[in-house]
Amino acid sequence: MEETLSKVRLDRWLWAARWFKTRALASRALAGGKVRVNGERPKRARLIGLGDDVRIRRGPFEFQVVVRGLSEH
């Protein structure tokens, strides 16, 4: 029996979507200001949902992602 997720912690989602290899790296990026959600600097426990705009800075590149699916794993 699988339940549908409506919100997921940002650090878990970044790891599950494979933007970072570990949750610790995702948390470090969040603490360092490398991730923005809907234009704001979030904390790692912030809940995100479908349709949220996530910007991820990695090196010289910035990725803009619109959340279309949620997963914790």
Side-chain angles (χ1 to χ4, degrees):
M1 181 161 50
E2 186 177 322
E3 65 181 67
T4 304
L5 299 172
S6 62
K7 298 279 184 179
V8 176
R9 280 177 57 124
L10 181 56
D11 61 342
R12 282 184 156 272
W13 182 82
L14 288 168
W15 168 75
R18 297 299 185 241
W19 283 102
F20 297 95
K21 284 188 171 192
T22 65
R23 280 183 60 199
L25 289 173
S27 295
R28 193 174 307 148
L30 288 162
K34 306 266 188 225
V35 179
R36 299 251 180 219
V37 176
N38 299 327
E40 299 175 353
R41 185 175 173 180
K43 293 185 179 179
R44 67 182 189 178
R46 183 189 194 288
L47 297 177
I48 62 166
L50 297 176
D52 282 342
D53 176 50
V54 180
R55 291 178 184 256
I56 304 159
R57 219 172 349 153
R58 297 190 72 185
F61 303 103
E62 181 175 283
F63 300 92
Q64 180 180 3
V65 180
V66 177
V67 178
R68 298 282 183 222
L70 297 173
S71 178
E72 288 187 328
H73 304 287

